[in-house]
């Protein structure tokens, strides 16, 4: 068994047992993290999510079953395997009823341990892979996000992993790439989907008002504060708070934000009452926060608090044929919005769109298409309907649009999940020159699963 891509968290206050289990799992090529208390385990879960958890039913600072229930609530989908002494059968029954994946009795048998871990990891990673393959087979990603390019599919796989898990995420990407759309998609795929999604563009607020916008204020807290006002943290209680362009916050407010994230509470400006909140934070920036940390412009501790998971949104010029798909989508969407009827586009106009670099990314493309749709005579977009900067582009002879009609090309026949999986494995094997370790990393599956699929699909 090779668990090279899987991470296991082992929680047990029995030091000798912990050391032995760690040795077995590391030898089996798993990445292993350990904790001896419930608090220690929860601290680790706030910074990294494992593929499976081994959890003792008795811990020095609480019940393992209680911790299991908290894990189930915050991180559904992570298999939890309970560890217990022979005499703890009643507790095991309680744990299984609470949602434990399986259980092991002490002293732990090495072969039984590896078998249970392998099955749990395959279950965890299979769920993610099937979700991704279902999206591919249906020809879509997350609702509202269009993209079939390899770079977007990689991002979707990351989103599959973090969306249902109540952790902080930092979305990085150039301006106009759709970071807020991605944040909203993560919220809609989470357990908080029925609660508020509150967005705050930190770059659009004067420094003097940033604290009031985040935390609210009491009446008379400053000139013009004529009544109490709830801030974005309060408004997002139970849901998600999206902090766009978080790198624009002042250093003094960064310290207050860090404290609010650590303590899950804050004070309104001018207030003395502590306000407790349950909020998931998703932040975004187009700036290099690492460089800002080095230059003393952004707090290092806040950066690590926000960047529990980092999602990188590819710029439009790195998304291949997504450009044509987005172009046709926006033509149809904006024609309907402006009640214009059917709008088509000439090959020459598509060639200019293909050759342009799109420094403003998807936002710039949408704005350009909206202008063209409104200006188009007789429902056909010509080169002269595009913005001048795009009209003036020199089109290389090799640049031709992927599809010439304005309506999207008919989709190919849908593949079954097994056909889709076979194709993805074959592509990965070809792209990596048969490097199994790289294929395992790309597809996010255990090495043993890859070998089994290769045999099943005749790809030896």
């Amino acid at each position: 068994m090779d668990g090279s891509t899987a991470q296991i968290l082992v929680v047990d206050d029995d030091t000798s047992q912990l050391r032995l289990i760690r040795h077995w799992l590391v030898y089996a090529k798993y990445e292993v993290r350990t904790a001896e208390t419930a608090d220690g385990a929860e601290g680790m879960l706030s910074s990294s999510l494992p593929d499976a958890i081994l959890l003792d039913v008795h811990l020095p600072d609480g019940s393992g079953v209680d911790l299991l229930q908290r894990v189930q609530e915050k991180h559904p989908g992570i298999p939890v395997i309970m560890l217990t002494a022979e005499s703890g059968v009643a507790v095991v029954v309680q744990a299984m009823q609470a949602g434990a994946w399986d259980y092991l009795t002490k002293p732990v048998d090495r072969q039984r341990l590896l078998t249970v871990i392998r099955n749990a990891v395959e279950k965890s990673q299979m769920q993610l892979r099937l979700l991704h393959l279902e999206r591919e087979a249906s020809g879509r990603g997350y609702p509202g996000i269009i993209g079939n390019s390899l770079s977007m599919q990689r991002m979707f796989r990351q989103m599959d992993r973090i969306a249902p898990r109540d952790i902080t995420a930092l979305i990085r990407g150039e301006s106009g790439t759709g970071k807020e759309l991605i944040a909203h998609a993560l919220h809609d795929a989470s357990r908080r989907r029925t609660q508020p999604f509150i967005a705050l563009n930190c770059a659009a607020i004067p420094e003097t008002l940033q604290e009031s916008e985040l935390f609210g204020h009491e009446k008379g807290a400053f000139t013009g504060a004529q009544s109490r006002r709830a801030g974005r943290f309060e408004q997002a209680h139970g849901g998600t708070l999206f902090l766009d362009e978080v790198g624009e916050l002042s250093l003094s407010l960064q310290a207050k934000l860090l404290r609010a994230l650590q303590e899950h509470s804050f004070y309104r400006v001018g207030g003395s009452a502590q306000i407790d909140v349950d909020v998931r934070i998703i932040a975004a920036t187009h700036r290099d926060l690492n460089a800002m940390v080095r230059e003393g412009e952004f707090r290092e501790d806040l950066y690590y608090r926000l960047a529990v998971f980092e999602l990188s949104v590819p710029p439009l010029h790195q998304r291949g044929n997504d450009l044509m798909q987005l172009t046709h989508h926006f033509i149809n969407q904006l024609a309907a919005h402006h009640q214009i009827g059917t709008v088509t586009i000439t090959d020459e106009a598509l060639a200019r769109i293909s050759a342009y670099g799109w420094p403003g990314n998807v936002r710039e493309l949408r704005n350009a298409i909206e202008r063209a749709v409104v200006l188009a005579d007789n429902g056909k977009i010509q080169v002269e309907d595009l913005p001048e900067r795009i009209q003036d582009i020199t089109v290389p002879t090799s640049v031709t649009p992927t599809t010439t009609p304005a309506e999207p090309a008919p989709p190919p026949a849908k593949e079954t999940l097994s056909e889709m999986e076979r194709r993805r494995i074959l592509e990965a094997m070809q792209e990596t020159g048969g490097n199994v370790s790289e294929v395992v990393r790309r597809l996010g599956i255990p090495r043993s699963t890859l070998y089994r699929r290769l045999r099943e699909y005749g790809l030896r």
Side-chain angles (χ1 to χ4, degrees):
M1 167 68 191
D2 188 338
S4 57
T5 63
Q7 182 187 102
I8 312 298
L9 173 61
V10 186
V11 189
D12 193 342
D13 64 331
D14 184 337
T15 306
S16 59
Q17 183 75 67
L18 194 66
R19 191 181 302 118
L20 180 61
I21 291 175
R22 177 186 175 85
H23 171 74
W24 286 340
L25 293 177
V26 168
Y27 186 78
K29 300 297 197 318
Y30 289 102
E31 180 184 341
V32 182
R33 305 177 76 199
T34 61
E36 298 184 10
T37 64
D39 282 346
E42 291 188 278
M44 289 184 176
L45 289 172
S46 71
S47 62
S48 179
L49 294 178
D51 292 279
I53 299 173
L54 275 171
L55 174 60
D56 193 13
V57 296
H58 298 296
L59 296 170
D61 57 343
S63 162
V65 176
D66 290 341
L67 177 56
L68 163 66
Q69 291 172 335
R70 293 196 293 274
V71 170
Q72 294 281 74
E73 179 183 351
K74 289 186 177 181
H75 311 294
I78 300 181
V80 180
I81 301 147
M82 304 304 294
L83 295 168
T84 181
E86 290 285 358
S87 59
V89 175
V91 179
V92 170
V93 171
Q94 181 187 359
M96 298 299 286
Q97 291 173 342
W101 163 260
D102 207 333
Y103 74 95
L104 296 169
T105 56
K106 296 180 179 180
V108 175
D109 176 76
R110 177 178 178 274
Q111 192 54 52
R112 165 77 174 152
L113 167 72
L114 295 180
T115 299
V116 170
I117 288 291
R118 182 187 66 238
N119 292 339
V121 167
E122 288 196 0
K123 174 254 185 183
S124 177
Q125 297 188 343
M126 180 68 76
Q127 285 181 333
L128 293 174
R129 191 165 75 257
L130 285 177
L131 181 59
H132 174 66
L133 290 173
E134 285 168 0
R135 289 203 177 97
E136 278 195 328
S138 66
R140 63 177 178 83
Y142 278 79
I145 305 177
I146 293 173
N148 290 317
S149 62
L150 183 59
S151 58
M152 289 297 287
Q153 294 304 315
R154 286 172 180 156
M155 189 184 73
F156 289 150
R157 284 198 293 273
Q158 290 179 302
M159 293 172 68
D160 291 342
R161 180 170 289 276
I162 69 173
R165 295 171 174 173
D166 204 12
I167 58 174
T168 304
L170 177 65
I171 304 173
R172 294 183 292 105
E174 297 177 5
S175 295
T177 49
K179 296 186 289 294
E180 181 169 351
L181 189 63
I182 290 164
H184 218 307
L186 291 173
H187 170 78
D188 289 342
S190 75
R191 67 182 182 88
R192 297 175 180 266
R193 65 179 66 90
T194 60
Q195 300 302 316
F197 174 87
I198 303 297
L200 176 65
N201 186 339
C202 303
I205 303 168
E207 184 176 334
T208 54
L209 297 179
Q210 287 179 348
E211 183 176 1
S212 174
E213 282 292 325
L214 269 178
F215 304 121
H217 61 254
E218 298 289 349
K219 180 179 179 180
F222 51 83
T223 303
Q226 299 180 358
S227 61
R228 172 185 288 178
R229 181 179 181 278
R232 303 302 174 94
F233 260 94
E234 280 183 87
Q235 295 170 21
H237 178 63
T240 301
L241 176 58
F242 174 55
L243 299 176
D244 198 6
E245 298 303 345
V246 71
E248 306 304 320
L249 291 176
S250 66
L251 282 169
S252 62
L253 190 56
Q254 289 175 30
K256 294 175 182 178
L257 173 60
L258 175 64
R259 186 164 60 249
L261 294 179
Q262 290 173 334
E263 300 176 4
H264 306 287
S265 63
F266 61 91
Y267 297 88
R268 295 192 191 100
V269 177
S272 58
Q274 178 175 293
I275 300 171
D276 298 324
V277 288
D278 172 23
V279 173
R280 180 188 188 180
I281 299 293
I282 299 177
T285 181
H286 75 283
R287 303 182 65 182
D288 184 346
L289 292 189
N290 274 312
M292 293 180 67
V293 168
R294 290 194 299 271
E295 294 166 6
E297 297 176 356
F298 200 85
R299 292 182 62 104
E300 184 177 25
D301 46 6
L302 178 58
Y303 169 71
Y304 288 121
R305 189 79 185 189
L306 294 174
V308 175
F309 266 87
E310 293 192 59
L311 278 175
S312 181
V313 188
L316 187 53
H317 67 84
Q318 293 180 3
R319 292 178 53 181
N321 290 338
D322 286 354
L323 174 59
M324 287 296 105
Q325 186 181 5
L326 285 163
T327 297
H328 294 310
H329 167 75
F330 286 140
I331 289 173
N332 297 321
Q333 180 191 69
L334 294 167
H337 175 74
H338 292 289
Q339 299 180 344
I340 293 175
T342 301
V343 175
T344 59
I345 185 168
T346 65
D347 290 351
E348 292 79 8
L350 280 173
R352 295 293 196 286
I353 288 171
S354 293
Y356 183 64
W358 299 106
N361 294 293
V362 178
R363 183 189 297 129
E364 183 185 11
L365 174 65
R366 187 186 188 282
N367 292 341
I369 296 300
E370 184 164 24
R371 166 201 162 105
V373 164
V374 171
L375 293 179
D377 288 331
N378 302 317
K380 176 163 283 192
I381 296 174
Q382 309 281 347
V383 170
E384 54 266 28
D385 299 321
L386 299 170
E388 288 186 11
R389 65 186 181 279
I390 302 173
Q391 293 180 35
D392 296 340
I393 289 292
T394 300
V395 180
T397 55
S398 61
V399 174
T400 55
T402 304
T403 55
T404 53
E407 296 296 326
K414 288 185 177 180
E415 297 174 288
T416 65
L417 290 181
S418 60
E419 290 170 340
M420 182 70 70
E421 184 177 54
R422 185 185 188 280
R423 177 175 61 79
R424 296 289 292 174
I425 291 175
L426 181 59
E427 288 176 353
M429 291 293 286
Q430 291 172 337
E431 291 171 2
T432 62
N435 185 323
V436 172
S437 296
E438 178 63 16
V439 172
V440 163
R441 186 191 67 78
R442 287 192 183 194
L443 299 181
I445 60 176
R447 188 180 295 255
S448 59
T449 300
L450 175 62
Y451 284 138
R452 187 159 57 252
R453 293 292 184 267
L454 290 173
R455 288 194 298 271
E456 291 173 358
Y457 297 143
L459 297 177
R460 270 292 189 190

